[in-house]
Amino acid sequence: MLIDTHCHLASQRYEDLAAVREESRALGVDLCISQGTSHEDWARTLAGARQFPDFIVPCLAVHPSDCTETTDEHWRQMVQLARENTLAAVGETGLDYYWDAPEGWTEDACRARQRDYLERHFQLASDLGLNISLHTRDKVGAGQACFEDAFAIAREFPGVRPVFHCFIGTRVQAERIFSDLDGMISFTGLITFKKTEAVRDVAAWCPEDRLMLETDSPFLSPEPYRGQLNFPGRVSLVAAKIAHLRGQSHDEIERITTDNARRFFHLPPGI
Ligand SMILES: [Zn+2]
Ligand SMILES: [Zn+2]
């Protein structure tokens, strides 16, 4: 079985989760780690996991793009939900310097807010004994401040392992994630896109014990379905691409990445 380690099944774009589950299982994808992103989707993320406990394991967090809209009351609510429910990890959180600050916020204030929230998430993960699903995205051509800031915060919490999801960084960055943070990286359908040669090289090289797969669905549908609504079943196409790039069999990639996901997300045997 394959595990989709990062998707958003609370998205309003999924009207019928039972159908998503059936279609994913038909493609060999039996389990998903569904990420929460804001107060608007926490309840739905948890409800999906309650409805399909054999298919969905939830995570909760505030996405960096949502933290300027998040109040202290929302945060308290999330912490309570995180304490009351079994989560795979704290996620999806992180830093995003790609998008401009929203109206009413300076760039500096927005980034400071994101860093404050990221520290809170690491503290929460540490308190709950969970790992963390991290989003980092730098502005194109503007250096790697986002990665460096996230890296520095992660270093303050050595007991919490991060996965840098939808990894599009360099091999040097990946090596630092492994050696300094005991972290992981995961790849999406982006590796099937035409202009992502550098990411394919990192996926081909990545040490076996650091590698995970994801769809980030409903986004980032792999080729030949680019631009369409994505769903967890298509992590099978990411697996096929990785197997090809690494010269390994599909079965090997499935075993490696599923074992890694089970360990990283502390999944109980039997699901
Ligand atoms: Zn993300
Ligand atoms: Zn995501």
Short mmCIF file of all heavy atoms in Angstrom, two decimals, residues 6 8 92 165 216, ligand 2:
data_model
loop_
_atom_site.label_atom_id
_atom_site.label_comp_id
_atom_site.label_asym_id
_atom_site.label_seq_id
_atom_site.Cartn_x
_atom_site.Cartn_y
_atom_site.Cartn_z
N HIS A 6 0.58 13.98 2.48
CA HIS A 6 0.19 15.39 2.60
C HIS A 6 -0.90 15.70 1.58
O HIS A 6 -0.64 15.76 0.37
CB HIS A 6 1.40 16.30 2.37
CG HIS A 6 1.13 17.75 2.61
ND1 HIS A 6 1.72 18.47 3.63
CD2 HIS A 6 0.32 18.63 1.95
CE1 HIS A 6 1.30 19.72 3.59
NE2 HIS A 6 0.44 19.85 2.58
N HIS A 8 -5.19 17.62 1.36
CA HIS A 8 -6.18 18.48 2.03
C HIS A 8 -7.58 17.96 1.72
O HIS A 8 -8.26 18.49 0.84
CB HIS A 8 -6.01 19.93 1.56
CG HIS A 8 -4.65 20.49 1.85
ND1 HIS A 8 -4.33 21.06 3.04
CD2 HIS A 8 -3.51 20.51 1.11
CE1 HIS A 8 -3.05 21.44 3.03
NE2 HIS A 8 -2.53 21.10 1.86
N GLU A 92 -0.70 21.72 8.41
CA GLU A 92 0.46 22.21 7.72
C GLU A 92 0.78 23.61 8.19
O GLU A 92 -0.09 24.50 8.17
CB GLU A 92 0.17 22.20 6.20
CG GLU A 92 0.96 23.17 5.39
CD GLU A 92 0.68 23.10 3.88
OE1 GLU A 92 -0.39 22.61 3.46
OE2 GLU A 92 1.55 23.54 3.13
N HIS A 165 7.65 19.58 3.18
CA HIS A 165 6.73 19.00 2.19
C HIS A 165 6.86 19.73 0.86
O HIS A 165 7.33 20.86 0.80
CB HIS A 165 5.30 19.02 2.76
CG HIS A 165 4.42 20.04 2.13
ND1 HIS A 165 3.65 19.78 1.03
CD2 HIS A 165 4.18 21.34 2.44
CE1 HIS A 165 2.97 20.87 0.69
NE2 HIS A 165 3.27 21.83 1.52
N ASP A 216 -0.33 16.66 -2.15
CA ASP A 216 -0.77 18.03 -1.86
C ASP A 216 -2.12 18.28 -2.54
O ASP A 216 -2.43 19.41 -2.91
CB ASP A 216 0.25 19.09 -2.27
CG ASP A 216 0.10 20.39 -1.47
OD1 ASP A 216 -0.65 20.40 -0.47
OD2 ASP A 216 0.70 21.41 -1.86
ZN ZN B 2 -0.50 21.51 1.57
#
